[in-house]
Amino acid sequence: MIDMYEQSEEPSKMPSTIFKKSKPAPTITKLPSLSLDKDHLITDFKRYYAYRLGRDENCRSPYYAYEALSLVISDRLIERWKNTYNAYRDTDCRKAYYLSMEFLMGRTLSNAMLNLGVTDEATRAMYDLGLEIEELVDSEPDAGLGNGGLGRLAACFIDSCATLQLPVIGYGLRYEYGMFSQVLQNGEQVERPDHWLRNGNVWEIERPEYAHRIKFGGRTESHSDENGNKRICWVDTQDILAVPYDTPIPGYNNGTVNTLRLWKSTATEEFNLQEFNAGDYAESVAAKNTAENITMVLYPNDANENGKALRLKQQYLLASASLQDVIANWVGRHGNNFSDFAEKNCFQLNDTHPSIAVAELMRLLIDIHGLSWNEAWGITTKTMAYTNHTLLPEALERWSVSLFEQLLPRLLEIIYDINARFMAEVSTHWPGDLDRMRRMSIIEEGTEKQVRMAYLAIVGSYSINGVAELHSKLLQEGLFKDFYELWPSKFNNKTNGVTPRRWLAGCNPALAELITETIGDAWITDLSELQKLKPYAEDAAFRGKWLAIQRQNKQRLIDYKKSELGLELSADALFDVQVKRIHEYKRQLLNVLHVIHLYDKIKRGDTQDWVNRCVLIGGKAAPGYVMAKNIIKFINNVSDVINFDPEVGDKLKLVFLPNYRVSAMEIICTGADLSEQISTAGKEASGTGNMKFMMNGAITIGTLDGANIEILEEVGEDNFFLFGLTEDQVEAMKGHYDPNAIIEQDNDLKRVVNLIECGHFNLMEPGIFDDLVNSIKSPYDPWMTVADFRSYVDAQNRAEKAFVDTERWTKMSILNCASSGKFSTDRTIGDYNRDIWKLTPVRIDEL
Ligand SMILES: *Cc1c(COP(=O)(O)O)cnc(C)c1O
């Protein structure tokens, strides 16, 4: 494996002796493959537990048993991993690289066992040892290397790539601290650092021999090479090393194990030495810390953190290390001949975060490998593909030209060159249209010049996609209209999905078993098979089983939360759930307005035909997003008033679920009746939480936004609670939105607003919700919360009517699950591959 990477940018400066080849090649006999039998698992488990981990019968912590079992499973992944690697090398196949600043992986053990097909044997093995496998699985910390939907999408994608046997490598950053963990103090969010690597990480393998050097700062120099061509050198830089850590990504029962490669920044060795020689030992160690800072922490921002130098360094580290890695591999095999490079490689950019890769690939090809501008541009624009994730203009990344100049001077020059050629193309297409040139320029002029990263990604890519039909359409008509007019064929849609392994087979074993018993197990790798459940919606006996499982899952959710909340919930109530990042556009406030309306009805005695309801809301707010944090405080204050009012009792509960994360969602999405997907139309690019709920049989109450539209299309209006303005209506309302008039005309809403304004939920904390009320009463409220209140309440009433008719509700639930086939990432990845990547699956011999 090693020799393929030897031709790195400056191999002589690579650290360590691992590079040395022993000659002749050692004769290490091929090992027999490891057994998946219970008894072999037990033998291997005992060996790891006793010798690698140094534990014995006196150790009571399930964590070490988790580690021992993980090592046992990891061995079995690694042998398949090597097979997969060898097959990719031997076939010299075309590959895709998924570049993402976030991989929100969650836990690994239970998913690895599922995909290896060893869950039952391992469960029995642990049972024989007196261990409960659930307890081991629960001791694993989440790998929270992402904020929300975008990072979780990347994790689901690589699962599907391995399951479809596609040669795809995930490239990301190995943050020392992942997404903060959220605790509540006095109803307010407090962030605690998430040191997820504290106890080590049994799933990763460090690969120091494949480290790459990353440059920052310095300046550029031009000179002529031996052929008289002008060449640029980037000199006087401060360098760091990017060291890869590899994690195996198993496909489902197919022998394929792909790679997720995450980069950690470390200091190079030589600057330590220089300063040490000069007597500045302490200084040199301090410099080492600075280098290691780059991958220290994930930015906990769901939209973007603009202008922070550290964030730009992270982005460049990811792009440069990953591209150097691919190129080193290429050069190891093909030398400096790049003529087929674009036939064999493509890069999918997960949002604009890694889009500096466009300029970095140009730099590596031109400055390091001596290609001409045109050759390099031809390769770049045939290998880069860009996925957009947001329509919110404030989330579009921009970097100040001055910051770029300071940190990445050579990259800035290349971006200027790309832009100059691009502007020439625009002016050929629209002669004299200076306004359009100004609009489309990668460099935004103004008091502070900015680099528009989305435009760099568009200009450098052969494919640009949105993540749901509506989102892709709005990109073409709005945000990227000029570019769509110039290059319509570059634009396409790829509706998001979620992996059915984690989000149905893994998280809902009881339902998975019932489904398999009924229609066979082909659904696990072909989710459209779930269609076959549709006739069973009419089968009373099947509905009985379905309902019993749903109830059992609700109870599991109640038990999971009981210890933290000190609150009894009843599984008889309608479980109404909204979990996702806290953001104004997602409108958790609209949800709370409805809850207050229900509370108001109870207080005024309007409780005829009452349907008991538990409203669960969870999610993290970006630490700097004041309004989002205030929404959390508001939910908790309202919850305190409602939950302890004896007059309310079981009729209504409002619970904030702290520290929402992947492992929590695996329980939450199986125990929900109603899935809240209530963003302002036109604002949620896709949503994927909506898909997890649907797959597990929850029914959506939602707006015509993102993938909700496609969910509605699949399941039909009878099985979906639709409400709210359409995107067109939201647009048309701008300029004459009058929330105060709406409140005045709606007595229920007026009473709700009055309760908040008179301080009913903050009697001891005057004024703390003023900004929040003012925001929804403002005619400039971009989220138009008040506009959708009445239609939302009506939809909630329809949901209650449906819920009390248990037979009807269960039918709807079955039909939602049965119609969720489209939302498998196997379908999504199939679409990416058909239209963008064009990879051939590589069959791997199963062991
Ligand atoms: C699926 C998921 C998300 C995305 O949820 P949306 O409702 O689509 O915003 C965010 N965070 C976690 C932990 C998830 O599992």
Side-chain angles (χ1 to χ4, degrees):
M1 279 164 87
I2 287 164
D3 50 326
M4 301 187 61
Y5 286 85
E6 256 185 3
Q7 301 258 358
S8 102
E9 194 174 355
E10 289 159 81
S12 63
K13 290 192 179 168
M14 285 298 118
S16 89
T17 52
I18 303 172
F19 267 97
K20 289 197 184 121
K21 266 193 270 193
S22 63
K23 285 179 185 171
T27 48
I28 300 171
T29 37
K30 194 175 185 313
L31 295 164
S33 59
L34 298 170
S35 164
L36 301 177
D37 290 350
K38 184 186 79 174
D39 291 342
H40 288 93
L41 298 180
I42 289 176
T43 310
D44 289 5
F45 177 93
K46 285 180 173 169
R47 198 183 60 244
Y48 277 125
Y49 196 72
Y51 301 121
R52 167 75 176 273
L53 303 175
R55 298 287 133 183
D56 59 22
E57 62 283 359
N58 296 316
C59 173
R60 289 315 217 15
S61 159
Y63 183 77
Y64 293 99
Y66 149 73
E67 279 203 338
L69 179 58
S70 297
L71 289 164
V72 172
I73 300 301
S74 176
D75 286 348
R76 281 138 181 94
L77 293 181
I78 287 173
E79 50 183 357
R80 289 162 179 79
W81 201 5
K82 285 184 284 196
N83 274 350
T84 308
Y85 181 92
N86 292 337
Y88 292 169
R89 185 199 50 211
D90 295 345
T91 56
D92 193 21
C93 53
R94 176 175 163 85
K95 297 192 193 83
Y97 310 93
Y98 198 76
L99 268 58
S100 178
M101 291 283 284
E102 304 188 7
F103 283 90
L104 188 47
M105 300 296 287
R107 290 173 176 158
T108 296
L109 175 58
S110 55
N111 185 249
M113 292 191 295
L114 175 73
N115 283 12
L116 262 182
V118 72
T119 306
D120 289 347
E121 288 291 301
T123 304
R124 280 188 278 141
M126 294 304 103
Y127 181 83
D128 283 3
L129 292 168
L131 295 165
E132 246 192 279
I133 201 156
E134 286 83 12
E135 210 188 348
L136 310 198
V137 162
D138 272 340
S139 350
E140 181 175 357
D142 276 39
L145 308 185
N147 276 284
L150 173 149
R152 185 54 232 174
L153 185 77
C156 285
F157 274 11
I158 56 176
D159 177 88
S160 281
C161 289
T163 294
L164 294 168
Q165 304 201 290
L166 297 175
V168 176
I169 294 166
Y171 276 115
L173 297 181
R174 182 180 176 277
Y175 302 107
E176 204 76 32
Y177 292 85
M179 190 61 203
F180 64 81
S181 82
Q182 178 192 55
V183 294
L184 294 176
Q185 279 175 12
N186 187 31
E188 284 166 54
Q189 168 176 298
V190 175
E191 301 91 22
R192 295 271 160 82
D194 164 46
H195 197 187
W196 71 292
L197 292 166
R198 177 168 22 233
N199 300 317
N201 173 6
V202 294
W203 299 104
E204 65 184 10
I205 299 186
E206 185 183 357
R207 301 279 193 201
E209 69 273 33
Y210 306 145
H212 296 284
R213 174 177 290 268
I214 313 295
K215 300 180 178 202
F216 292 103
R219 63 197 166 77
T220 61
E221 266 177 11
S222 86
H223 64 98
S224 301
D225 67 11
E226 55 275 22
N227 304 318
N229 295 318
K230 186 182 147 193
R231 301 292 299 270
I232 307 288
C233 282
W234 182 8
V235 298
D236 292 343
T237 51
Q238 287 166 328
D239 300 356
I240 60 116
L241 283 183
V243 181
Y245 288 71
D246 290 353
T247 301
I249 306 296
Y252 182 76
N253 270 331
N254 64 4
T256 294
V257 175
N258 278 343
T259 301
L260 171 62
R261 176 162 281 190
L262 302 179
W263 301 103
K264 171 191 163 98
S265 60
T266 68
T268 56
E269 281 159 18
E270 75 270 11
F271 68 58
N272 284 344
L273 197 62
Q274 280 164 10
E275 294 187 23
F276 181 62
N277 289 342
D280 269 333
Y281 179 72
E283 295 290 312
S284 74
V285 175
K288 182 170 149 62
N289 280 336
T290 315
E292 292 187 341
N293 267 342
I294 296 180
T295 54
M296 190 59 73
V297 61
L298 167 80
Y299 275 90
N301 222 297
D302 199 26
N304 281 295
E305 190 73 60
N306 281 321
K308 295 280 199 302
L310 184 61
R311 171 81 175 172
L312 182 56
K313 285 186 182 176
Q314 290 184 339
Q315 295 184 348
Y316 180 64
L317 175 88
L318 169 63
S320 182
S322 308
L323 290 171
Q324 286 187 57
D325 206 38
V326 173
I327 289 175
N329 209 336
W330 179 265
V331 171
R333 190 180 265 248
H334 305 268
N336 240 9
N337 178 0
F338 284 87
S339 54
D340 292 339
F341 185 83
E343 261 96 272
K344 294 284 190 184
N345 299 288
C346 69
F347 301 93
Q348 190 71 43
L349 308 176
N350 195 21
D351 212 331
T352 54
H353 314 154
S355 60
I356 186 70
V358 169
E360 176 65 1
L361 183 55
M362 292 296 287
R363 182 186 78 84
L364 292 170
L365 293 175
I366 296 169
D367 294 357
I368 309 295
H369 296 282
L371 273 66
S372 71
W373 179 278
N374 288 340
E375 287 169 328
W377 189 243
I379 289 171
T380 301
T381 53
K382 283 190 197 75
T383 52
M384 293 285 165
Y386 159 54
T387 304
N388 174 278
H389 283 272
T390 179
L391 290 157
L392 304 181
E394 69 269 26
L396 280 189
E397 279 193 302
R398 293 190 182 95
W399 293 106
S400 83
V401 164
S402 64
L403 180 67
F404 240 102
E405 177 123 60
Q406 234 180 66
L407 284 181
L408 305 167
R410 178 61 184 136
L411 281 295
L412 183 63
E413 287 176 6
I414 291 170
I415 291 170
Y416 271 119
D417 282 356
I418 292 171
N419 197 41
R421 288 166 162 87
F422 171 57
M423 286 291 103
E425 189 177 343
V426 171
S427 81
T428 309
H429 205 270
W430 290 286
D433 193 344
L434 286 176
D435 190 51
R436 198 183 286 258
M437 287 176 68
R438 188 186 45 71
R439 287 202 308 266
M440 295 179 79
S441 173
I442 298 171
I443 306 297
E444 180 179 298
E445 302 292 335
T447 44
E448 165 90 277
K449 277 207 229 177
Q450 308 267 346
V451 184
R452 294 161 162 162
M453 299 308 278
Y455 292 5
L456 177 63
I458 293 173
V459 172
S461 296
Y462 67 95
S463 164
I464 299 140
N465 74 282
V467 291
E469 291 287 350
L470 175 69
H471 171 230
S472 297
K473 179 180 97 103
L474 294 176
L475 284 181
Q476 294 171 15
E477 291 173 355
L479 210 52
F480 300 152
K481 183 167 184 284
D482 292 319
F483 293 91
Y484 179 64
E485 286 175 13
L486 183 59
W487 297 310
S489 64
K490 280 195 190 187
F491 285 78
N492 63 92
N493 172 250
K494 296 287 167 281
T495 298
N496 280 169
V498 301
T499 170
R501 268 74 63 190
R502 184 175 295 260
W503 296 112
L504 182 53
C507 70
N508 203 340
L511 201 66
E513 198 184 313
L514 175 62
I515 295 169
T516 296
E517 212 170 79
T518 310
I519 61 166
D521 67 359
W523 61 272
I524 300 175
T525 50
D526 176 6
L527 206 64
S528 67
E529 285 280 310
L530 291 180
Q531 293 273 7
K532 293 183 178 163
L533 286 175
K534 284 185 182 169
Y536 292 91
E538 300 304 324
D539 175 337
F542 183 80
R543 283 203 304 271
K545 292 184 198 167
W546 191 274
L547 184 66
I549 291 167
Q550 300 284 73
R551 270 197 74 100
Q552 190 184 302
N553 287 333
K554 280 165 85 170
Q555 194 58 50
R556 184 172 69 143
L557 173 54
I558 292 167
D559 296 343
Y560 162 71
K561 281 290 136 200
K562 193 150 50 184
S563 52
E564 294 172 45
L565 301 169
L567 192 76
E568 270 304 328
L569 302 178
S570 161
D572 294 331
L574 169 61
F575 271 44
D576 171 354
V577 184
Q578 185 176 27
V579 285
K580 45 184 76 249
R581 288 301 289 259
I582 309 291
H583 201 294
E584 288 163 281
Y585 86 81
K586 292 178 183 279
R587 295 200 297 193
Q588 282 90 359
L589 270 183
L590 179 59
N591 191 345
V592 183
L593 293 183
H594 172 248
V595 172
I596 296 173
H597 165 62
L598 292 179
Y599 166 75
D600 178 46
K601 277 177 73 173
I602 296 169
K603 296 306 275 186
R604 67 192 198 216
D606 181 4
T607 57
Q608 229 200 351
D609 300 324
W610 190 264
V611 178
N612 292 354
R613 186 191 288 252
C614 292
V615 180
L616 310 179
I617 305 180
K620 291 172 185 175
Y625 188 173
V626 174
M627 186 64 86
K629 292 182 111 170
N630 204 225
I631 291 171
I632 292 176
K633 171 69 173 159
F634 184 56
I635 297 166
N636 282 302
N637 276 28
V638 173
S639 157
D640 278 346
V641 170
I642 290 177
N643 293 351
F644 301 105
D645 183 334
E647 209 179 325
V648 175
D650 279 344
K651 290 190 179 66
L652 181 63
K653 290 277 179 273
L654 172 61
V655 175
F656 187 86
L657 302 172
N659 205 27
Y660 176 56
R661 62 200 186 282
V662 172
S663 59
M665 183 56 160
E666 288 171 14
I667 295 167
I668 294 166
C669 72
T670 70
D673 294 308
L674 192 60
S675 156
E676 298 271 350
Q677 307 300 336
I678 60 178
S679 53
T680 313
K683 305 299 179 189
E684 184 77 271
S686 163
T688 52
N690 47 4
M691 301 167 184
K692 298 166 198 163
F693 283 112
M694 179 197 198
M695 227 170 252
N696 285 281
I699 297 151
T700 307
I701 181 165
T703 49
L704 285 173
D705 200 17
N708 292 355
I709 296 173
E710 292 159 73
I711 288 176
L712 172 62
E713 228 165 72
E714 296 297 304
V715 80
E717 294 227 14
D718 292 345
N719 302 300
F720 187 109
F721 302 106
L722 179 64
F723 75 94
L725 299 176
T726 63
E727 188 272 330
D728 291 339
Q729 290 166 338
V730 168
E731 281 309 302
M733 183 90 88
K734 277 187 188 157
H736 38 89
Y737 176 47
D738 188 352
N740 295 299
I742 298 172
I743 294 167
E744 206 43 53
Q745 286 154 28
D746 186 324
N747 197 44
D748 289 337
L749 179 55
K750 199 166 153 183
R751 292 174 60 97
V752 168
V753 173
N754 182 55
L755 268 174
I756 305 169
E757 282 186 325
C758 74
H760 189 70
F761 302 105
N762 53 318
L763 291 173
M764 302 302 181
E765 301 161 300
I768 61 169
F769 299 132
D770 290 358
D771 286 352
L772 197 143
V773 179
N774 290 336
S775 77
I776 61 171
K777 289 174 76 179
S778 161
Y780 304 105
D781 172 20
W783 323 116
M784 295 189 183
T785 302
V786 161
D788 278 343
F789 177 81
R790 179 44 49 191
S791 141
Y792 181 54
V793 170
D794 291 346
Q796 290 285 13
N797 286 332
R798 296 200 299 278
E800 288 181 357
K801 286 225 166 60
F803 185 71
V804 290
D805 181 349
T806 307
E807 297 302 323
R808 175 175 164 211
W809 187 272
T810 309
K811 271 185 214 180
M812 294 173 76
S813 170
I814 296 166
L815 291 175
N816 264 272
C817 174
S819 308
S820 66
K822 175 175 178 186
F823 306 105
S824 165
T825 36
D826 298 344
R827 189 273 312 149
T828 311
I829 290 298
D831 292 351
Y832 273 89
N833 194 44
R834 185 192 59 225
D835 301 340
I836 306 173
W837 304 342
K838 302 180 195 300
L839 309 171
T840 309
V842 179
R843 307 277 160 235
I844 308 293
D845 294 331
E846 289 190 47
L847 293 175

